[in-house]
């Protein structure tokens, strides 16, 4: 008899992504930074940060497990503050 599958509770309506971009006036390099909240296959919450040059794959990706969407909102507030200090502009996704 096959094992019964657990009911996964996905809250897709709580997933989000934010993106920042900047152009370095001296070198002309175009950079991006994204922060994303989503769930993995088991329903666990992940806060994912990625950054690099626009037009290329991210040069760095950091995945942090969070207990709930509220915790990720606190993390993204800190990310947004640092992005503003470094002259990034938030862009719609």
């Amino acid at each position: 008899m096959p094992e019964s599958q657990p009911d996964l509770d996905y809250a897709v309506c709580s997933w989000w992504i934010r993106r920042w971009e900047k152009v370095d006036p001296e070198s002309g390099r175009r950079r991006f930074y994204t922060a994303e909240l989503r769930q993995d296959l088991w329903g666990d919450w992940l806060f994912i940060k990625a950054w690099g040059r626009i037009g290329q794959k991210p040069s760095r990706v950091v995945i942090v497990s969070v207990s709930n969407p509220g915790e990720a909102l606190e993390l993204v507030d800190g990310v947004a503050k640092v992005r503003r200090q470094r002259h990034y502009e938030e862009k719609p996704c």
Side-chain angles (χ1 to χ4, degrees), residues 20 33 78-89:
W20 296 267
Y33 195 103
V79 168
K81 180 180 177 183
V82 172
R83 295 301 104 206
R84 283 190 302 271
Q85 290 172 346
R86 295 188 177 167
H87 307 290
Y88 280 73
E89 294 180 19

Side-chain angles (χ1 to χ4, degrees), residues 31-75:
R31 310 283 302 165
F32 75 91
Y33 195 103
T34 61
E36 181 178 356
L37 175 68
R38 66 178 171 190
Q39 290 172 288
D40 64 13
L41 291 174
W42 297 273
D44 296 327
W45 290 100
L46 302 174
F47 180 67
I48 304 163
K49 301 182 291 184
W51 58 90
R53 285 188 175 182
I54 293 175
Q56 297 181 359
K57 291 182 180 180
S59 59
R60 187 85 191 259
V61 177
V62 175
I63 301 172
V64 178
S65 180
V66 294
S67 59
N68 58 57
E71 185 178 342
L73 288 174
E74 292 175 14
L75 293 173

